[in-house]
Amino acid sequence: MKKTVVLGASPKPIRYSYAAVQQLASKGHEAVPIGVKDGEIDGIEIIKGTPEVEDVHTITLYLSPPRQPQYYDYIFSLKPKRLIFNPGTENLELIQLAKDKGVDVEVGCTLVMLSVGNY
């Protein structure tokens, strides 16, 4: 199973990041929701700030491109193997930085990937 940081997690059930945390957990992946608002998703507390997280396999982004640069150093400090750009989060600068650091990049939808079994 792949420990996954959901960057941009929201406590609002109508948000895709909320559904991503639910689906990751239901498929047996350890989901680590990181967001800016207090709350929880099915009993998993949303962590604020830039916490240390060990053994991260994947970071799935739910932040718009203008909000991403402040997280660049944090993203790479977690040493992810993969970075997923969900619809609306595509950012050519961050994609190139990730590739330069040897991080696998996927532009796609985490929810779709989980539902079709190619996560």
Side-chain angles (χ1 to χ4, degrees), residues 1-67:
M1 296 291 107
K2 299 172 178 131
K3 183 187 272 188
T4 302
V5 168
V6 179
L7 192 55
S10 172
K12 296 179 181 178
I14 62 168
R15 298 287 191 183
Y16 289 117
S17 62
Y18 187 99
V21 172
Q22 288 180 313
Q23 289 299 310
L24 284 160
S26 76
K27 302 278 186 188
H29 301 284
E30 183 179 346
V32 181
I34 298 176
V36 295
K37 294 183 179 175
D38 289 322
E40 65 175 46
I41 301 168
D42 287 355
I44 304 170
E45 183 179 347
I46 296 172
I47 305 165
K48 294 186 342 185
T50 53
E52 284 187 35
V53 183
E54 302 280 326
D55 303 317
V56 173
H57 182 278
T58 299
I59 297 175
T60 184
L61 290 173
Y62 288 92
L63 294 172
S64 65
R67 295 184 62 212

